[in-house]
Amino acid sequence: MPTPARVRADACPGVFAPHEAADGPLARVRLPGGAVSAAQLRALADCAEACGDGDLHLTSRGNVQLRGVTRPGLAARLTDAGLLPSPSHERVRNVLASPLSGIRGGLADVRGLAAALDDLLCATPELASLPGRFLFAFDDGRGDVAGEGADVCWRATGPAEGTLVLAGGDTGRRVTRTDAVATLIEVALEFGRVRGAAWRVAELDDPAWRGTPVPRAPEEIPAGLIERDGGWAAGVVPRFGQLTAGQARALAEFGPALVTPWKSLVLPDVPADVFERLGFGGVALGTTACIGRPGCAKSRADVRADAVFRPGLRAHFSGCERRCGKPSQSHVDVVAEAGGYRIDGRWVPLDEMEGKL
């Protein structure tokens, strides 16, 4: 069943319209396809130190957030780095792409499609009014980003062909790789014409926007050394998706990076001793959390301090019922309440929580 259309204004944060969090303004920087060059990664580190709290916060849409942005100059710095190509479209440049495409696995190489879509998106004035939650995706056939809730997605069925997926449903419409970008833009334009008050495709009542649910691929978060033809890639998973400016600069020494929808990064071409040279592995799989206190005024607890890490445990700690940043994969739902947490709906005192997970 479609969810009810939204009745309040879309307040998805950007650079020019940041979210007023308890720890100061939060600015979200879009990285279509998660792609960021070494120079841009250094520029983001500089922005975090010069304008924000000194850290880069990765998001579940492969973007980067800067928190505590209380000093001026952010937009100018991002523009100089090529990270803000169209101020009018900055909040709608939400594009996922399979991060291991062209590195290992997959049926097609989707590299370059996100950038091509971003160029056409920014060149289409009508699309500047898309809701900030609208999401594009290119899945190379492995099913990793097709299951991340994209509104419009091209999913490869072979090296040069694919299918159109709307809100997780396969429409049966066959689209070549060559036509993938234009087709997704065409669908976004049509959504803009018919959406009314809806923010997402799933909120439309029209059955023409439905398809057969796409089976979700087994979870495969790229982490550690990844063998590829002729060399190595690396998956870096920082705890809570948070990098210091210094760590970001260290990663930039190994060239471009890809920010994934799982708050991690892929370095496409690295030496085998990359983690020894980095000095940090940052692998913290399983447990995720919202920002919690003191960063969010709505949070009932410092969830990151209370979070439990244990091999085999996949849990998301939330400071309130909004459950910000929760993963789309199956997980233990842990929500803060007075004096403890509600774990999958069952209240547990804080001092007993670790034993109950």
Side-chain angles (χ1 to χ4, degrees), residues 158 276 345:
E276 289 80 1

Side-chain angles (χ1 to χ4, degrees), residues 12-308:
C12 206
V15 174
F16 297 106
H19 167 67
E20 291 296 332
D23 56 350
L26 177 155
R28 185 173 297 160
V29 183
R30 268 69 177 185
L31 304 174
V36 57
S37 70
Q40 289 173 333
L41 194 51
R42 293 187 185 99
L44 284 167
D46 291 344
C47 287
E49 288 183 332
C51 304
D53 68 358
D55 289 347
L56 301 181
H57 303 260
L58 310 182
T59 81
S60 57
R61 288 188 163 196
N63 296 318
V64 168
Q65 292 182 162
L66 302 177
R67 301 190 69 93
V69 181
T70 56
R71 295 178 292 280
L74 178 60
R77 288 173 176 270
L78 294 173
T79 299
D80 289 345
L83 290 165
L84 203 59
S86 174
S88 60
H89 291 71
E90 62 123 352
R91 294 196 313 143
V92 302
R93 300 171 62 234
N94 302 300
V95 192
L96 300 181
S98 298
L100 287 182
S101 191
I103 297 173
R104 189 181 71 183
L107 300 177
D109 188 343
V110 300
R111 288 178 298 180
L113 292 179
L117 184 137
D118 186 41
D119 288 343
L120 186 53
L121 175 68
C122 291
T124 307
E126 304 95 307
L127 293 180
S129 60
L130 274 177
R133 303 288 178 90
F134 194 87
L135 182 62
F136 299 89
F138 294 98
D139 189 301
D140 68 2
R142 75 185 72 217
D144 55 352
V145 299
E148 289 296 321
D151 294 276
V152 292
C153 172
W154 182 80
R155 183 178 183 180
T157 56
E161 60 185 15
T163 186
L164 177 66
V165 177
L166 299 179
D170 189 339
T171 65
R173 179 178 172 182
R174 302 303 165 186
V175 179
T176 66
R177 185 188 186 282
T178 303
D179 293 334
V181 168
T183 299
L184 266 56
I185 291 292
E186 166 196 305
V187 174
L189 284 166
E190 180 61 19
F191 173 78
R193 288 189 283 266
V194 304
R195 75 182 185 90
W199 289 357
R200 309 295 306 276
V201 165
E203 296 168 8
L204 297 177
D205 290 324
D206 189 342
W209 291 83
R210 301 283 172 269
T212 304
V214 175
R216 188 176 188 91
E219 184 181 21
E220 183 188 5
I221 297 178
L225 272 180
I226 301 166
E227 189 171 5
R228 59 172 299 170
D229 289 342
W232 301 93
V236 179
V237 188
R239 180 166 287 203
F240 301 127
Q242 188 169 340
L243 289 169
T244 66
Q247 289 172 332
R249 292 191 185 99
L251 292 170
E253 292 300 311
F254 296 93
L258 296 162
V259 180
T260 80
W262 311 291
K263 299 184 181 181
S264 62
L265 301 99
V266 170
L267 305 178
D269 190 6
V270 297
D273 64 348
V274 57
F275 288 105
E276 289 80 1
R277 290 169 60 179
L278 273 175
F280 70 95
V283 176
L285 296 175
T287 294
T288 57
C290 70
I291 196 66
R293 288 182 179 172
C296 178
K298 290 184 171 63
S299 181
R300 302 187 186 102
D302 183 349
V303 294
R304 295 192 170 191
D306 295 340
V308 174

